[in-house]
């Protein structure tokens, strides 16, 4: 056994990770049998399959809050995903959890989002209400199980069950500790970074944020610095404060619950990775502020209204005439039904692809490409 073999990596996990961490050696079987890799663990292999899949690359041009064409300096689903992964890895490493599994779940957690962020998800959920529904976590599982076609012998990416279960964070089943870390990191990342984007866009003003306790505390610690530097250190301070609280609170819960293995940790019945009550209150205050002053700001609402109308019209015309679909999409329609196939097609689109497709379907000069 070489120093860098898969077996050596698995043995190191057994020695170094906490008893409640999910070990790669104990990963459950994949849906389709495959030989183990010689120098990558099961979770490392899952991570690499996600990074190389088409849905992951599309995240670069899917919006976080702003439509992608709004500007080049705001968060996209891809940059958000990378930020979540960075925060989650730090937390997992400090808690003695499996960093590879945590990173894998973080990189996959937004694969199911369609174009135009939560606005697009709402439009697709409305269109699919009587056809099995649409929800981005379930769509992520559908992507990795069905829609990615990389291998000759099976559909999907054939990920481990640990990763697959973790994608259904609202599915009712208790999450692994690693998936709980990602869920908490996701909230920390999008709350703080949406503030940063809101300020950069001019849709938020620092004076408005004085009513938010987390901002006030971090702003005071940042001190007297030039505006851009001060803003960066304020956002950074908010993240550090939230992460530190999450670590302290979660480790205290773990000491109290004392799970002997990862299955016991999942069986507790409540989240062991969670902020303190005080931090949860502060985060809820920040979320309410963003909802009232940013997500519902009139220019953001205009973008949301237009984008939802685009998707509704596209969905309606595509299901009325399946010949508008590409040959592979028509094949999927025969297998899964026209509504699900159209939903998959639209959900896979980037913001730019959705705008171009709308022009092709509804504007006389729609086949003329947009300027680059």
């Amino acid at each position: 056994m070489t120093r860098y073999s898969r077996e050596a990596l698995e043995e190191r996990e057994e020695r170094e990770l906490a008893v409640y961490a999910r070990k790669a050696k104990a990963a459950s079987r994949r849906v389709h049998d495959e030989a183990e890799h010689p120098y990558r663990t099961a979770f490392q292999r899952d991570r690499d399959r996600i990074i190389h899949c088409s849905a992951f690359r599309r995240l670069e041009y899917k919006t976080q809050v702003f439509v992608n064409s709004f500007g080049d300096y705001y968060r996209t689903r891809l940059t958000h995903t990378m930020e979540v992964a960075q925060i989650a890895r730090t937390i997992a490493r400090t808690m003695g959890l499996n960093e590879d599994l945590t990173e894998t779940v973080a990189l996959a957690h937004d694969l199911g989002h369609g174009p135009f962020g939560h606005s697009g998800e709402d439009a697709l959920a409305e269109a699919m209400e009587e056809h099995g529904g649409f929800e981005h976590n379930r769509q992520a599982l559908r992507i990795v199980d069905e829609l990615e076609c990389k291998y000759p012998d099976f559909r999907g990416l054939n990920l481990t069950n640990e990763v697959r279960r973790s994608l259904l964070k609202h599915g009712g089943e208790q999450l692994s500790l690693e998936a709980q870390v990602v869920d908490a990191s996701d909230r920390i990342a999008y709350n703080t970074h949406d503030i940063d984007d809101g300020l950069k866009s001019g849709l938020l003003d620092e004076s408005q944020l004085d009513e938010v306790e987390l901002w006030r505390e971090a702003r005071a610690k940042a001190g007297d610095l030039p505006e851009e530097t001060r803003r960066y250190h304020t956002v950074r301070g908010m993240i550090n404060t939230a992460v530190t609280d999450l670590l302290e609170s979660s480790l205290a819960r773990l000491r109290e619950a004392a799970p002997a293995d990862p299955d016991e940790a999942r069986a507790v019945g409540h989240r062991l990775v969670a902020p303190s009550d005080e931090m949860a209150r502060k985060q809820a205050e920040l979320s309410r502020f963003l909802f009232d002053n940013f997500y519902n700001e009139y220019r953001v609402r205009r973008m949301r209204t237009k984008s939802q109308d685009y998707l509704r019209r596209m969905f309606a015309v595509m299901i009325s005439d399946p010949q508008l679909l590409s040959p592979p999409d028509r094949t999927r329609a025969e297998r899964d039904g026209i509504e699900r196939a159209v939903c998959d097609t639209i959900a896979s689109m980037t913001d730019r692809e959705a705008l171009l497709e709308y022009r092709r379907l509804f504007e006389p000069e729609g086949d003329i490409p947009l300027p680059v």
Side-chain angles (χ1 to χ4, degrees), residues 33-101:
D33 288 338
E34 291 187 76
E36 296 286 358
H37 196 272
Y39 52 83
R40 288 183 296 167
T41 69
F43 299 143
Q44 289 172 343
R45 201 176 188 185
D46 283 356
R47 175 199 60 203
D48 297 345
R49 289 184 175 189
I50 288 164
I51 288 174
H52 289 283
C53 77
S54 301
F56 184 79
R57 292 195 299 275
R58 291 192 187 105
L59 295 177
E60 181 177 4
Y61 297 108
K62 292 192 177 187
T63 191
Q64 182 67 10
V65 174
F66 299 108
V67 174
N68 186 261
S69 59
F70 192 86
D72 293 334
Y73 301 103
Y74 304 109
R75 263 82 181 180
T76 66
R77 285 288 167 195
L78 182 60
T79 58
H80 167 72
T81 293
M82 293 168 67
E83 289 164 345
V84 172
Q86 178 268 314
I87 293 170
R89 286 199 312 267
T90 298
I91 295 169
R93 189 183 311 123
T94 306
M95 293 180 64
L97 294 171
N98 192 310
E99 192 175 342
D100 290 329
L101 174 56

Side-chain angles (χ1 to χ4, degrees), residues 179-199:
Q180 292 180 39
V181 166
V182 173
D183 203 21
S185 301
D186 187 26
R187 186 176 190 189
I188 292 170
Y190 70 67
N191 267 350
T192 50
H193 293 142
D194 284 353
I195 282 183
D196 192 31
D197 280 354
L199 291 169

Side-chain angles (χ1 to χ4, degrees), residues 111-130:
L111 289 180
H113 272 290
F116 311 135
H118 288 289
S119 303
E121 178 169 10
D122 291 343
L124 289 173
E126 175 188 301
M128 292 295 292
E129 187 173 3
E130 297 181 2

Side-chain angles (χ1 to χ4, degrees), residues 164-347:
R164 294 177 62 255
R165 284 197 301 262
S166 296
L167 297 178
L168 296 178
K169 65 179 183 180
H170 303 308
E173 185 179 0
Q174 183 69 7
L175 294 172
S176 68
L177 294 177
E178 286 82 1
Q180 292 180 39
V181 166
V182 173
D183 203 21
S185 301
D186 187 26
R187 186 176 190 189
I188 292 170
Y190 70 67
N191 267 350
T192 50
H193 293 142
D194 284 353
I195 282 183
D196 192 31
D197 280 354
L199 291 169
K200 284 182 180 178
S201 68
L203 302 183
L204 289 179
D205 185 86
E206 286 196 27
S207 62
Q208 295 174 273
L209 284 159
D210 287 341
E211 66 184 76
V212 178
E213 190 171 353
L214 275 174
W215 171 270
R216 288 200 309 271
E217 293 172 349
R219 170 66 184 83
K221 292 178 182 177
D224 188 17
L225 296 168
E227 181 179 358
E228 284 292 324
T229 306
R230 184 183 69 240
R231 181 185 303 161
Y232 168 78
H233 283 279
T234 301
V235 172
R236 173 174 169 267
M238 293 173 70
I239 295 172
N240 284 341
T241 298
V243 168
T244 300
D245 175 90
L246 183 71
L247 283 168
E248 293 175 350
S249 176
S250 302
L251 289 169
R253 286 185 172 92
L254 281 165
R255 285 192 295 270
E256 181 178 354
D261 56 49
D263 291 327
E264 280 193 17
R266 289 183 64 237
V268 168
H270 61 271
R271 293 287 178 97
L272 293 175
V273 180
S276 66
D277 291 343
E278 179 67 6
M279 178 56 67
R281 180 191 64 77
K282 293 178 181 179
Q283 288 178 332
E285 178 191 48
L286 174 56
S287 296
R288 287 193 299 271
F289 172 86
L290 287 168
F291 181 83
D292 293 338
N293 297 281
F294 187 34
Y295 307 140
N296 277 307
E297 200 273 344
Y298 77 95
R299 286 161 288 189
V300 176
R301 285 185 68 89
R302 285 176 179 172
M303 283 190 289
R304 183 162 69 243
T305 299
K306 285 192 294 184
S307 63
Q308 289 180 329
D309 184 58
Y310 292 161
L311 297 192
R312 290 188 190 103
R313 293 189 67 190
M314 288 166 60
F315 185 90
V317 75
M318 285 179 175
I319 64 170
S320 70
D321 184 2
Q323 293 302 312
L324 292 171
L325 300 178
S326 69
D329 291 339
R330 289 201 300 273
T331 299
R332 194 165 64 248
E334 294 172 1
R335 186 185 72 225
D336 300 336
I338 182 63
E339 292 86 4
R340 180 59 61 188
V342 169
C343 180
D344 288 339
T345 298
I346 294 176

